[in-house]
Amino acid sequence: QAQLVESGGGVVQPGGSLRLSCAATGFSLDTFAIGWFRQAPGKKREGVSCIASSDGSITYADSVKGRFTISRDSAKNILYLQMNNLKPEDTAIYYCATNRYSDCSDEYDYWGQGTQVTVSS
């Protein structure tokens, strides 16, 4: 049974860093594209980053480019999101999700339960 479990969220001051993890069980992260999403209170869920399994290509939302880095440890079957220079507007619940395909299409099927990130002074 496929399962994704996020961890690493917390409270951090503006300018700080966090690293989120997404541990996968029941399937290999190398099989499908996988991405990070976030949803802030009262806002729609937005895509943050995605890494394709087909060619390893990576995409980022404009709002996080240069600050966030997605990576994948195939041996541990864990997806990471390194978040630097965090801003209050990064506050949200962060989710990882697997794509139905090996490329970063708009179709995601399995989702984790989310981890809360709060950026506040």
Side-chain angles (χ1 to χ4, degrees), residues 1-44:
Q1 182 176 352
Q3 188 175 15
L4 298 170
V5 179
E6 302 96 334
S7 62
V11 180
V12 63
Q13 292 186 341
S17 298
L18 283 174
R19 188 178 77 161
L20 304 183
S21 299
C22 171
T25 56
F27 70 101
S28 169
L29 285 179
D30 293 337
T31 305
F32 305 104
I34 187 163
W36 286 98
F37 292 77
R38 65 186 182 185
Q39 187 165 21
K43 295 189 176 181
K44 293 177 62 176

Short mmCIF file of all heavy atoms in Angstrom, two decimals, residues 1-44:
data_model
loop_
_atom_site.label_atom_id
_atom_site.label_comp_id
_atom_site.label_asym_id
_atom_site.label_seq_id
_atom_site.Cartn_x
_atom_site.Cartn_y
_atom_site.Cartn_z
N GLN A 1 0.84 -1.18 0.00
CA GLN A 1 0.00 0.00 0.00
C GLN A 1 0.88 1.25 0.00
O GLN A 1 1.74 1.41 0.85
CB GLN A 1 -0.91 0.01 1.22
CG GLN A 1 -1.84 1.19 1.27
CD GLN A 1 -2.78 1.11 2.46
OE1 GLN A 1 -2.83 0.09 3.15
NE2 GLN A 1 -3.52 2.16 2.70
N ALA A 2 0.64 2.11 -0.96
CA ALA A 2 1.45 3.31 -1.08
C ALA A 2 1.12 4.29 0.04
O ALA A 2 -0.05 4.50 0.37
CB ALA A 2 1.21 3.97 -2.43
N GLN A 3 2.17 4.87 0.62
CA GLN A 3 1.98 5.82 1.69
C GLN A 3 3.09 6.86 1.65
O GLN A 3 4.24 6.54 1.37
CB GLN A 3 1.96 5.12 3.05
CG GLN A 3 1.57 6.02 4.20
CD GLN A 3 1.45 5.27 5.53
OE1 GLN A 3 1.92 4.14 5.65
NE2 GLN A 3 0.84 5.89 6.50
N LEU A 4 2.71 8.10 1.94
CA LEU A 4 3.67 9.20 2.03
C LEU A 4 3.51 9.85 3.40
O LEU A 4 2.40 10.14 3.82
CB LEU A 4 3.38 10.23 0.94
CG LEU A 4 3.52 9.76 -0.51
CD1 LEU A 4 2.96 10.82 -1.46
CD2 LEU A 4 4.97 9.48 -0.84
N VAL A 5 4.63 10.08 4.06
CA VAL A 5 4.59 10.69 5.39
C VAL A 5 5.58 11.84 5.43
O VAL A 5 6.79 11.64 5.28
CB VAL A 5 4.94 9.67 6.49
CG1 VAL A 5 4.92 10.35 7.86
CG2 VAL A 5 3.96 8.50 6.46
N GLU A 6 5.04 13.05 5.62
CA GLU A 6 5.87 14.24 5.70
C GLU A 6 6.31 14.50 7.14
O GLU A 6 5.62 14.13 8.09
CB GLU A 6 5.12 15.48 5.21
CG GLU A 6 4.60 15.43 3.79
CD GLU A 6 3.17 15.00 3.72
OE1 GLU A 6 2.72 14.29 4.65
OE2 GLU A 6 2.48 15.34 2.73
N SER A 7 7.45 15.16 7.26
CA SER A 7 7.95 15.58 8.57
C SER A 7 8.88 16.77 8.37
O SER A 7 9.25 17.09 7.22
CB SER A 7 8.67 14.43 9.27
OG SER A 7 9.79 14.01 8.52
N GLY A 8 9.26 17.39 9.46
CA GLY A 8 10.24 18.47 9.40
C GLY A 8 9.67 19.86 9.53
O GLY A 8 10.41 20.84 9.55
N GLY A 9 8.36 19.97 9.59
CA GLY A 9 7.76 21.29 9.74
C GLY A 9 8.01 21.86 11.13
O GLY A 9 8.52 21.17 12.02
N GLY A 10 7.67 23.13 11.30
CA GLY A 10 7.86 23.75 12.60
C GLY A 10 7.69 25.25 12.51
O GLY A 10 7.20 25.77 11.49
N VAL A 11 8.11 25.92 13.55
CA VAL A 11 8.05 27.38 13.62
C VAL A 11 9.46 27.92 13.46
O VAL A 11 10.39 27.47 14.13
CB VAL A 11 7.45 27.84 14.96
CG1 VAL A 11 7.39 29.36 15.00
CG2 VAL A 11 6.07 27.25 15.16
N VAL A 12 9.61 28.88 12.58
CA VAL A 12 10.93 29.46 12.30
C VAL A 12 10.77 30.96 12.08
O VAL A 12 9.71 31.42 11.63
CB VAL A 12 11.57 28.77 11.08
CG1 VAL A 12 10.75 29.01 9.82
CG2 VAL A 12 13.01 29.18 10.89
N GLN A 13 11.80 31.70 12.40
CA GLN A 13 11.78 33.14 12.19
C GLN A 13 12.03 33.47 10.72
O GLN A 13 12.66 32.68 10.01
CB GLN A 13 12.84 33.81 13.06
CG GLN A 13 12.54 33.74 14.55
CD GLN A 13 13.53 34.54 15.38
OE1 GLN A 13 14.63 34.86 14.92
NE2 GLN A 13 13.14 34.86 16.59
N PRO A 14 11.58 34.62 10.28
CA PRO A 14 11.88 35.04 8.90
C PRO A 14 13.39 35.02 8.66
O PRO A 14 14.17 35.43 9.53
CB PRO A 14 11.33 36.46 8.84
CG PRO A 14 10.21 36.46 9.85
CD PRO A 14 10.69 35.57 10.96
N GLY A 15 13.76 34.52 7.49
CA GLY A 15 15.16 34.36 7.16
C GLY A 15 15.74 33.02 7.55
O GLY A 15 16.86 32.69 7.16
N GLY A 16 14.99 32.25 8.31
CA GLY A 16 15.46 30.95 8.76
C GLY A 16 15.29 29.86 7.72
O GLY A 16 14.84 30.11 6.60
N SER A 17 15.65 28.65 8.12
CA SER A 17 15.61 27.51 7.20
C SER A 17 14.92 26.32 7.85
O SER A 17 14.94 26.17 9.08
CB SER A 17 17.02 27.10 6.79
OG SER A 17 17.69 28.13 6.11
N LEU A 18 14.34 25.49 7.01
CA LEU A 18 13.79 24.21 7.42
C LEU A 18 14.02 23.22 6.30
O LEU A 18 14.09 23.61 5.12
CB LEU A 18 12.27 24.30 7.69
CG LEU A 18 11.80 24.93 8.99
CD1 LEU A 18 10.26 25.05 8.96
CD2 LEU A 18 12.23 24.12 10.19
N ARG A 19 14.11 21.95 6.65
CA ARG A 19 14.15 20.90 5.65
C ARG A 19 13.00 19.94 5.89
O ARG A 19 12.92 19.31 6.94
CB ARG A 19 15.48 20.14 5.65
CG ARG A 19 15.58 19.18 4.47
CD ARG A 19 16.89 18.44 4.40
NE ARG A 19 16.95 17.35 5.37
CZ ARG A 19 17.81 16.34 5.27
NH1 ARG A 19 18.67 16.29 4.26
NH2 ARG A 19 17.84 15.40 6.20
N LEU A 20 12.13 19.85 4.91
CA LEU A 20 11.01 18.92 4.99
C LEU A 20 11.41 17.58 4.37
O LEU A 20 12.19 17.54 3.42
CB LEU A 20 9.80 19.47 4.25
CG LEU A 20 9.30 20.85 4.67
CD1 LEU A 20 8.04 21.21 3.89
CD2 LEU A 20 9.07 20.93 6.15
N SER A 21 10.87 16.52 4.93
CA SER A 21 11.09 15.19 4.40
C SER A 21 9.76 14.54 4.06
O SER A 21 8.74 14.82 4.70
CB SER A 21 11.82 14.31 5.42
OG SER A 21 13.08 14.85 5.75
N CYS A 22 9.78 13.68 3.07
CA CYS A 22 8.60 12.93 2.67
C CYS A 22 9.06 11.49 2.46
O CYS A 22 9.71 11.19 1.46
CB CYS A 22 8.01 13.51 1.41
SG CYS A 22 6.69 12.52 0.67
N ALA A 23 8.73 10.63 3.41
CA ALA A 23 9.13 9.23 3.33
C ALA A 23 8.07 8.41 2.61
O ALA A 23 6.89 8.48 2.95
CB ALA A 23 9.35 8.68 4.72
N ALA A 24 8.50 7.67 1.62
CA ALA A 24 7.57 6.86 0.83
C ALA A 24 7.69 5.39 1.19
O ALA A 24 8.80 4.88 1.35
CB ALA A 24 7.85 7.05 -0.65
N THR A 25 6.58 4.72 1.31
CA THR A 25 6.56 3.28 1.51
C THR A 25 5.58 2.65 0.53
O THR A 25 4.61 3.29 0.11
CB THR A 25 6.13 2.90 2.94
OG1 THR A 25 4.85 3.48 3.21
CG2 THR A 25 7.12 3.43 3.96
N GLY A 26 5.86 1.44 0.13
CA GLY A 26 4.97 0.72 -0.77
C GLY A 26 5.24 0.94 -2.24
O GLY A 26 4.62 0.30 -3.08
N PHE A 27 6.16 1.83 -2.55
CA PHE A 27 6.54 2.07 -3.94
C PHE A 27 7.86 2.83 -3.95
O PHE A 27 8.28 3.38 -2.94
CB PHE A 27 5.46 2.88 -4.67
CG PHE A 27 5.37 4.31 -4.22
CD1 PHE A 27 5.95 5.33 -4.97
CD2 PHE A 27 4.72 4.65 -3.05
CE1 PHE A 27 5.88 6.64 -4.56
CE2 PHE A 27 4.65 5.95 -2.61
CZ PHE A 27 5.24 6.96 -3.37
N SER A 28 8.49 2.87 -5.10
CA SER A 28 9.74 3.59 -5.23
C SER A 28 9.51 5.01 -5.73
O SER A 28 8.75 5.23 -6.67
CB SER A 28 10.65 2.86 -6.21
OG SER A 28 11.77 3.66 -6.55
N LEU A 29 10.18 5.96 -5.10
CA LEU A 29 10.08 7.35 -5.55
C LEU A 29 10.63 7.53 -6.97
O LEU A 29 10.35 8.52 -7.61
CB LEU A 29 10.84 8.27 -4.60
CG LEU A 29 10.19 8.56 -3.25
CD1 LEU A 29 11.09 9.46 -2.43
CD2 LEU A 29 8.82 9.20 -3.45
N ASP A 30 11.40 6.58 -7.43
CA ASP A 30 11.97 6.68 -8.77
C ASP A 30 10.95 6.32 -9.85
O ASP A 30 11.23 6.48 -11.04
CB ASP A 30 13.17 5.75 -8.90
CG ASP A 30 14.33 6.20 -8.02
OD1 ASP A 30 14.37 7.41 -7.68
OD2 ASP A 30 15.17 5.37 -7.69
N THR A 31 9.78 5.82 -9.44
CA THR A 31 8.80 5.35 -10.41
C THR A 31 8.02 6.49 -11.05
O THR A 31 7.75 6.48 -12.25
CB THR A 31 7.82 4.38 -9.75
OG1 THR A 31 8.56 3.31 -9.14
CG2 THR A 31 6.84 3.80 -10.76
N PHE A 32 7.61 7.44 -10.23
CA PHE A 32 6.75 8.53 -10.69
C PHE A 32 7.38 9.88 -10.37
O PHE A 32 8.25 9.99 -9.51
CB PHE A 32 5.39 8.45 -10.01
CG PHE A 32 4.70 7.13 -10.16
CD1 PHE A 32 4.67 6.23 -9.11
CD2 PHE A 32 4.10 6.77 -11.36
CE1 PHE A 32 4.05 5.00 -9.24
CE2 PHE A 32 3.48 5.55 -11.51
CZ PHE A 32 3.46 4.67 -10.44
N ALA A 33 6.90 10.91 -11.05
CA ALA A 33 7.27 12.25 -10.64
C ALA A 33 6.66 12.50 -9.26
O ALA A 33 5.63 11.91 -8.90
CB ALA A 33 6.76 13.28 -11.63
N ILE A 34 7.28 13.37 -8.49
CA ILE A 34 6.78 13.65 -7.15
C ILE A 34 6.99 15.12 -6.84
O ILE A 34 7.97 15.72 -7.28
CB ILE A 34 7.46 12.74 -6.10
CG1 ILE A 34 6.81 12.91 -4.74
CG2 ILE A 34 8.96 12.98 -6.06
CD1 ILE A 34 7.14 11.78 -3.78
N GLY A 35 6.05 15.68 -6.13
CA GLY A 35 6.11 17.11 -5.90
C GLY A 35 5.74 17.53 -4.50
O GLY A 35 5.23 16.73 -3.71
N TRP A 36 6.01 18.80 -4.22
CA TRP A 36 5.61 19.45 -2.97
C TRP A 36 4.54 20.49 -3.29
O TRP A 36 4.66 21.23 -4.27
CB TRP A 36 6.80 20.13 -2.31
CG TRP A 36 7.77 19.21 -1.67
CD1 TRP A 36 8.95 18.76 -2.19
CD2 TRP A 36 7.65 18.62 -0.36
NE1 TRP A 36 9.56 17.92 -1.29
CE2 TRP A 36 8.80 17.82 -0.16
CE3 TRP A 36 6.70 18.68 0.66
CZ2 TRP A 36 9.01 17.10 1.01
CZ3 TRP A 36 6.90 17.96 1.81
CH2 TRP A 36 8.05 17.18 1.99
N PHE A 37 3.56 20.54 -2.42
CA PHE A 37 2.49 21.52 -2.52
C PHE A 37 2.34 22.21 -1.17
O PHE A 37 2.83 21.72 -0.16
CB PHE A 37 1.16 20.84 -2.88
CG PHE A 37 1.13 20.27 -4.26
CD1 PHE A 37 1.76 19.07 -4.56
CD2 PHE A 37 0.48 20.93 -5.29
CE1 PHE A 37 1.75 18.54 -5.84
CE2 PHE A 37 0.45 20.41 -6.57
CZ PHE A 37 1.08 19.22 -6.84
N ARG A 38 1.63 23.33 -1.15
CA ARG A 38 1.34 23.97 0.12
C ARG A 38 -0.03 24.64 0.06
O ARG A 38 -0.50 25.01 -1.02
CB ARG A 38 2.41 24.99 0.48
CG ARG A 38 2.50 26.18 -0.43
CD ARG A 38 3.70 27.06 -0.04
NE ARG A 38 3.81 28.25 -0.87
CZ ARG A 38 4.83 29.12 -0.79
NH1 ARG A 38 5.81 28.90 0.09
NH2 ARG A 38 4.84 30.18 -1.57
N GLN A 39 -0.62 24.77 1.22
CA GLN A 39 -1.90 25.45 1.32
C GLN A 39 -1.92 26.29 2.58
O GLN A 39 -1.79 25.78 3.68
CB GLN A 39 -3.06 24.45 1.32
CG GLN A 39 -4.42 25.11 1.25
CD GLN A 39 -5.53 24.16 0.90
OE1 GLN A 39 -5.41 22.94 1.07
NE2 GLN A 39 -6.63 24.68 0.39
N ALA A 40 -2.09 27.58 2.36
CA ALA A 40 -2.19 28.52 3.47
C ALA A 40 -3.66 28.71 3.83
O ALA A 40 -4.54 28.48 2.99
CB ALA A 40 -1.56 29.85 3.07
N PRO A 41 -3.94 29.13 5.05
CA PRO A 41 -5.34 29.33 5.46
C PRO A 41 -6.06 30.28 4.52
O PRO A 41 -5.56 31.37 4.21
CB PRO A 41 -5.20 29.93 6.87
CG PRO A 41 -3.90 29.44 7.36
CD PRO A 41 -3.00 29.39 6.15
N GLY A 42 -7.21 29.85 4.06
CA GLY A 42 -8.02 30.70 3.19
C GLY A 42 -7.53 30.81 1.76
O GLY A 42 -8.09 31.60 0.98
N LYS A 43 -6.52 30.05 1.42
CA LYS A 43 -5.98 30.12 0.06
C LYS A 43 -6.04 28.77 -0.63
O LYS A 43 -6.15 27.74 0.02
CB LYS A 43 -4.53 30.62 0.09
CG LYS A 43 -4.38 32.05 0.57
CD LYS A 43 -2.96 32.55 0.38
CE LYS A 43 -2.83 34.00 0.79
NZ LYS A 43 -1.44 34.51 0.58
N LYS A 44 -5.96 28.82 -1.93
CA LYS A 44 -5.95 27.58 -2.70
C LYS A 44 -4.61 26.88 -2.57
O LYS A 44 -3.57 27.51 -2.34
CB LYS A 44 -6.22 27.90 -4.17
CG LYS A 44 -7.62 28.41 -4.46
CD LYS A 44 -7.78 28.78 -5.92
CE LYS A 44 -7.60 27.60 -6.84
NZ LYS A 44 -7.85 27.96 -8.26
#
